[in-house]
Amino acid sequence: MAYHSFLLEPISCHSWNKDRTQIALCPNNHDVHIYKKDGTKWTKIHELKEHNGQVTGIDWAPESNRIVTCGTDRNAYVWSLKGEVWKPTLVILRINRAARCVSWSPKENKFAVGSGSRLISICYFEQENDWWVCKHIKKPIRSTVLSLDWHPNNVLLAAGSCDFKCRVFSAYIKEVEEKPGPTVWGSKMPFGEVLFESGPSGVSGGAGEGAGGGWVHGVCFSHSGNRLAWTSHDSTVAIAEGGKTSTISSLSSETLPLLCVSFITENSLVAAGHDCYPVLFVYDGTKGSVTFGGKLDVPKQTSQRGISARERFQNLDRRATSSETTEQGLESLHKNSISQISVLEGGKSKCSTFCTTGMDGGMVTWDVKSLESDLKDLKIV
Amino acid sequence: MAKNTLSSRFRKLDIDEFDENKFIDDHDEAVDNQGPDGTEIENLIRIGDTMTAFHLALRNPPLNTKNPAVKERALAIVLRVLTSFKSSDIEPAVKSLDRSGVDLLMKYIYRGFEKPSDNSSAILLQWHEKAFAVGGLGSIVRVLTARKTV
């Protein structure tokens, strides 16, 4: 588990290139910095300066090697590498509030941008005009779209938003692709159609009360696209399985809200958030239940030394307890909230490494195999 | 200085009022719970069966209603039950609840904190400690983010 501290400021967002040798991240300002890995050191090789506002989303397309960035200046840019320099192309999103998240589709012929203007912009390249064009999905989104994830069929898009709901939309663009075949989420998929909506209207039960809940911070489709997981601000994590029954199973956790989530196998997911450490959840498809799998963090090497009487009274004075731990800070690797999680190796079906970045400006790469061996009772099914 | 003398009346305008797509919070007045039954609970407290009174008080929470009187009445009944508990009985009572019960109890505890009376704060803090041990930070977050308050 390697912890690398990039900066002192929070990392707003990050994205890796195809072979995981370069990372593009935003150091909480208007730029995007690209770092290259040299053994264990990271060197900055590019600075992408074009945005006029904080960059809120970055996505690096692995096959076509293009980077799309979006920011609070209501713009998105598609960057292409020309020789040694990244050249931007402006994309007009036609939004009047900040853009919050961006994601390339699996085939990389379009991308989706979620924004504070309560809509999702689906952008595709129009060959005749040599220009990126966008279409809007507006209804029935009632508030900011916080997170997006594409289904593997390149048409369906899951969106989590601040109106407390997680939805699956169809983003079918007839100019760039053929009609998709039916999936478990539905068979009729015109552009903008809502195929699934979580929330009090139309939920068939779950473990928690789930009435209304909180802002949906993170969404993720499983590798097959049949399962959808989302985390919400009322400290719950929920999984829905597409299909006629469309059941939702949710777990009200005892931790602070989780900000990001990703499937690592078809049955397990890793989520992280304000508690500064990633957590494993296991989904049982037959029972339809989500259970807490374990806290994923390097166990702290506590040195067992006796505590002197003076220290005991000092602790009583300062912290009202005379406990043995003189640890002033957090025991986790990250020292502040984790805001983004990305799968590095293995994809979402058999992930072997994943990476987290957070508000402490640090990045940690986690190795699933060594986590399984270090932490007993941890089983990744 | 020139800017200061211009009219700033536009600052008092709420621009989102004119947006036809603005968010209207729909709170459906679903089948409503009228809150627990006061007399029955009084009887149970009098004979000393605080555990049953406790479970009864936490049933039918008036979550959906917009009527403050119903909520006040329910709150008063629940606080009456909570304050009639002995300190040693609190922990088994909390343990007998399921996850959504602990969340509901936490909601009532925080409502009780809002209006402290002479003897309520101490006992409420003890209830809070035991409920926190079971529910964790998540249950407190759910009190803060809940849109249907008790």
Side-chain angles (χ1 to χ4, degrees):
Chain A
M1 255 64 69
Y3 176 81
H4 180 88
S5 172
F6 274 103
L7 336 134
L8 291 172
E9 297 90 18
I11 294 180
S12 317
C13 45
H14 76 268
S15 187
W16 292 86
N17 69 343
K18 180 173 182 185
D19 52 6
R20 312 310 191 199
T21 53
Q22 294 183 26
I23 182 172
L25 50 84
C26 169
N28 206 37
N29 59 11
H30 303 331
D31 308 328
V32 174
H33 294 175
I34 300 187
Y35 285 80
K36 192 183 163 107
K37 193 169 182 161
D38 275 317
T40 49
K41 286 193 305 100
W42 291 87
T43 40
K44 189 183 343 179
I45 51 171
H46 290 118
E47 269 189 29
L48 275 47
K49 288 180 190 295
E50 196 75 23
H51 277 282
N52 277 327
Q54 193 199 14
V55 180
T56 49
I58 304 180
D59 200 13
W60 199 323
E63 302 303 324
S64 51
N65 205 36
R66 287 176 298 185
I67 301 180
V68 64
T69 59
C70 73
T72 54
D73 57 354
R74 314 188 301 269
N75 288 336
Y77 291 94
V78 175
W79 303 79
S80 314
L81 190 63
K82 303 266 191 302
E84 290 297 310
V85 184
W86 287 93
K87 290 249 181 293
T89 313
L90 172 68
V91 179
I92 307 272
L93 296 172
R94 295 185 285 130
I95 54 180
N96 54 10
R97 295 285 190 277
R100 275 298 253 113
C101 48
V102 67
S103 179
W104 281 108
S105 70
K107 291 209 185 78
E108 296 166 24
N109 48 7
K110 48 186 184 174
F111 61 88
V113 181
S115 67
S117 1
R118 296 177 299 218
L119 49 85
I120 305 175
S121 300
I122 310 286
C123 307
Y124 59 97
F125 196 67
E126 204 165 66
Q127 274 302 130
E128 310 98 56
N129 296 331
D130 196 24
W131 185 240
W132 287 90
V133 169
C134 80
K135 280 193 172 176
H136 286 167
I137 298 180
K138 272 194 173 165
K139 295 195 187 332
I141 307 175
R142 321 268 292 287
S143 190
T144 308
V145 176
L146 284 179
S147 51
L148 294 168
D149 193 33
W150 286 91
H151 186 280
N153 74 353
N154 209 54
V155 171
L156 297 180
L157 177 68
S161 98
C162 281
D163 59 0
F164 320 113
K165 294 205 201 303
C166 171
R167 300 184 177 89
V168 174
F169 290 100
S170 157
Y172 166 63
I173 306 269
K174 59 182 191 308
E175 284 89 344
V176 296
E177 57 200 347
E178 297 120 32
K179 245 180 144 99
T183 67
V184 292
W185 299 98
S187 41
K188 287 226 169 297
M189 292 181 252
F191 180 81
E193 175 88 358
V194 180
L195 290 114
F196 168 77
E197 185 176 272
S198 75
S201 49
V203 165
S204 36
E209 268 205 327
W215 307 318
V216 179
H217 284 294
V219 287
C220 185
F221 268 113
S222 69
H223 178 79
S224 62
N226 296 337
R227 295 188 180 154
L228 176 66
W230 65 92
T231 61
S232 130
H233 200 70
D234 60 350
S235 294
T236 55
V237 64
I239 295 187
E241 239 178 317
K244 291 200 185 51
T245 47
S246 229
T247 43
I248 297 184
S249 332
S250 73
L251 173 69
S252 310
S253 74
E254 289 166 9
T255 58
L256 292 176
L258 299 156
L259 292 175
C260 49
V261 65
S262 177
F263 272 93
I264 51 170
T265 66
E266 197 68 20
N267 293 321
S268 313
L269 24 96
V270 173
H274 290 294
D275 270 315
C276 319
Y277 52 77
V279 176
L280 177 74
F281 289 100
V282 181
Y283 175 67
D284 187 332
T286 49
K287 282 192 287 186
S289 66
V290 185
T291 44
F292 179 70
K295 173 176 152 173
L296 302 174
D297 206 354
V298 177
K300 190 84 184 171
Q301 260 75 40
T302 43
S303 52
Q304 296 290 99
R305 39 175 273 273
I307 188 169
S308 69
R310 187 159 182 271
E311 276 175 9
R312 206 179 274 278
F313 282 111
Q314 264 186 340
N315 278 343
L316 255 178
D317 193 27
R318 275 198 228 121
R319 282 183 281 143
T321 59
S322 50
S323 59
E324 307 245 318
T325 49
T326 47
E327 180 59 54
Q328 292 287 340
L330 287 175
E331 290 181 355
S332 52
L333 274 179
H334 273 286
K335 298 301 176 202
N336 207 329
S337 313
I338 296 176
S339 54
Q340 196 177 344
I341 188 171
S342 55
V343 169
L344 289 183
E345 313 276 338
K348 283 193 262 188
S349 57
K350 242 187 159 334
C351 170
S352 55
T353 349
F354 60 91
C355 140
T356 50
T357 57
M359 314 250 260
D360 55 351
M363 175 199 73
V364 182
T365 35
W366 305 83
D367 184 73
V368 171
K369 280 272 165 314
S370 38
L371 277 172
E372 256 183 312
S373 54
D374 280 345
L375 303 157
K376 11 188 210 332
D377 322 317
L378 194 79
K379 259 181 354 105
I380 308 217
V381 294
Chain B
M1 194 175 105
K3 278 208 164 65
N4 223 3
T5 55
L6 291 171
S7 163
S8 56
R9 228 172 30 146
F10 69 91
R11 296 196 189 278
K12 297 197 175 66
L13 199 64
D14 182 9
I15 193 169
D16 282 327
E17 287 292 317
F18 298 101
D19 185 7
E20 59 261 10
N21 289 330
K22 77 168 182 161
F23 184 81
I24 300 168
D25 203 2
D26 47 51
H27 248 144
D28 41 3
E29 295 257 0
V31 178
D32 191 29
N33 297 312
Q34 289 303 317
D37 187 6
T39 44
E40 197 178 335
I41 290 179
E42 275 299 319
N43 291 337
L44 285 166
I45 296 178
R46 215 172 307 135
I47 62 173
D49 189 1
T50 43
M51 188 67 108
T52 324
F54 176 64
H55 282 265
L56 218 60
L58 287 182
R59 255 195 279 147
N60 294 342
L63 288 172
N64 283 329
T65 181
K66 290 207 181 71
N67 184 353
V70 177
K71 293 196 191 237
E72 284 299 323
R73 201 178 65 90
L75 178 65
I77 294 172
V78 173
L79 284 181
R80 173 93 184 80
V81 175
L82 295 185
T83 46
S84 64
F85 260 74
K86 285 199 292 291
S87 309
S88 46
D89 293 336
I90 294 181
E91 193 164 346
V94 173
K95 288 225 163 38
S96 69
L97 289 175
D98 63 344
R99 183 46 70 74
S100 48
V102 174
D103 286 346
L104 182 62
L105 173 66
M106 209 41 129
K107 280 187 190 165
Y108 275 119
I109 292 175
Y110 274 93
R111 284 277 282 148
F113 279 148
E114 283 172 31
K115 293 199 193 63
S117 70
D118 280 339
N119 48 3
S120 72
S121 297
I123 198 87
L124 277 180
L125 279 171
Q126 288 183 321
W127 275 101
H128 185 275
E129 184 191 349
K130 298 287 181 273
F132 175 67
V134 175
L137 289 165
S139 62
I140 299 182
V141 173
R142 274 184 286 280
V143 173
L144 295 171
T145 57
R147 300 176 62 222
K148 299 206 163 112
T149 53
V150 92

Tab-separated table of all heavy atoms in Angstrom, chain A residues 51 83 110 194 203 214 318 337 348 352 361 371:
chain	number	residue	atom	x	y	z
A	51	HIS	N	-8.877	26.256	-18.152
A	51	HIS	CA	-10.111	26.545	-17.430
A	51	HIS	C	-10.019	27.842	-16.653
A	51	HIS	O	-8.939	28.229	-16.210
A	51	HIS	CB	-10.419	25.401	-16.450
A	51	HIS	CG	-11.117	24.245	-17.086
A	51	HIS	ND1	-12.462	24.254	-17.371
A	51	HIS	CD2	-10.666	23.036	-17.475
A	51	HIS	CE1	-12.803	23.098	-17.921
A	51	HIS	NE2	-11.732	22.337	-18.001
A	83	GLY	N	1.926	15.549	-30.573
A	83	GLY	CA	3.369	15.553	-30.348
A	83	GLY	C	3.641	15.478	-28.862
A	83	GLY	O	3.337	14.480	-28.209
A	110	LYS	N	-18.617	9.271	-26.983
A	110	LYS	CA	-19.361	10.361	-26.373
A	110	LYS	C	-18.984	10.451	-24.900
A	110	LYS	O	-18.384	9.533	-24.340
A	110	LYS	CB	-20.857	10.170	-26.537
A	110	LYS	CG	-21.349	8.799	-26.168
A	110	LYS	CD	-22.821	8.641	-26.486
A	110	LYS	CE	-23.233	7.259	-25.985
A	110	LYS	NZ	-24.611	6.964	-26.062
A	194	VAL	N	-36.100	7.475	-18.535
A	194	VAL	CA	-35.660	7.033	-17.209
A	194	VAL	C	-36.017	5.571	-17.065
A	194	VAL	O	-37.192	5.207	-17.099
A	194	VAL	CB	-36.369	7.829	-16.098
A	194	VAL	CG1	-35.900	7.358	-14.750
A	194	VAL	CG2	-36.106	9.296	-16.268
A	203	VAL	N	-40.154	1.840	-4.580
A	203	VAL	CA	-39.067	1.039	-4.020
A	203	VAL	C	-39.693	-0.179	-3.390
A	203	VAL	O	-40.682	-0.078	-2.681
A	203	VAL	CB	-38.331	1.839	-2.931
A	203	VAL	CG1	-37.457	0.941	-2.102
A	203	VAL	CG2	-37.509	2.905	-3.572
A	214	GLY	N	-30.355	10.943	1.523
A	214	GLY	CA	-29.510	12.106	1.369
A	214	GLY	C	-29.025	12.215	-0.052
A	214	GLY	O	-29.350	11.398	-0.907
A	318	ARG	N	-6.021	17.403	28.782
A	318	ARG	CA	-6.227	17.816	27.393
A	318	ARG	C	-7.426	17.161	26.771
A	318	ARG	O	-8.181	17.784	26.049
A	318	ARG	CB	-4.996	17.449	26.560
A	318	ARG	CG	-3.915	18.493	26.633
A	318	ARG	CD	-2.941	18.295	25.479
A	318	ARG	NE	-1.572	18.329	25.972
A	318	ARG	CZ	-0.707	17.347	25.839
A	318	ARG	NH1	-1.034	16.258	25.208
A	318	ARG	NH2	0.511	17.463	26.313
A	337	SER	N	-10.707	13.384	4.234
A	337	SER	CA	-11.714	12.601	3.510
A	337	SER	C	-11.197	12.128	2.158
A	337	SER	O	-10.448	12.819	1.489
A	337	SER	CB	-12.955	13.448	3.245
A	337	SER	OG	-13.346	14.111	4.398
A	348	LYS	N	-13.665	-3.986	-13.186
A	348	LYS	CA	-14.606	-4.045	-12.081
A	348	LYS	C	-15.026	-5.471	-11.768
A	348	LYS	O	-15.791	-5.721	-10.862
A	348	LYS	CB	-15.845	-3.208	-12.413
A	348	LYS	CG	-15.582	-1.718	-12.258
A	348	LYS	CD	-16.860	-0.927	-12.265
A	348	LYS	CE	-17.125	-0.362	-13.632
A	348	LYS	NZ	-18.260	0.585	-13.643
A	352	SER	N	-7.604	-5.985	-8.936
A	352	SER	CA	-6.491	-6.378	-8.083
A	352	SER	C	-5.815	-5.176	-7.445
A	352	SER	O	-5.154	-5.301	-6.430
A	352	SER	CB	-5.464	-7.184	-8.887
A	352	SER	OG	-5.074	-6.422	-10.006
A	361	GLY	N	-4.563	15.704	-0.243
A	361	GLY	CA	-3.581	15.850	-1.309
A	361	GLY	C	-2.764	14.604	-1.535
A	361	GLY	O	-1.746	14.629	-2.219
A	371	LEU	N	-4.194	-6.872	0.963
A	371	LEU	CA	-5.205	-6.522	1.967
A	371	LEU	C	-5.856	-7.779	2.504
A	371	LEU	O	-6.082	-7.922	3.705
A	371	LEU	CB	-6.290	-5.634	1.342
A	371	LEU	CG	-6.004	-4.154	1.237
A	371	LEU	CD1	-7.092	-3.493	0.438
A	371	LEU	CD2	-5.910	-3.531	2.598
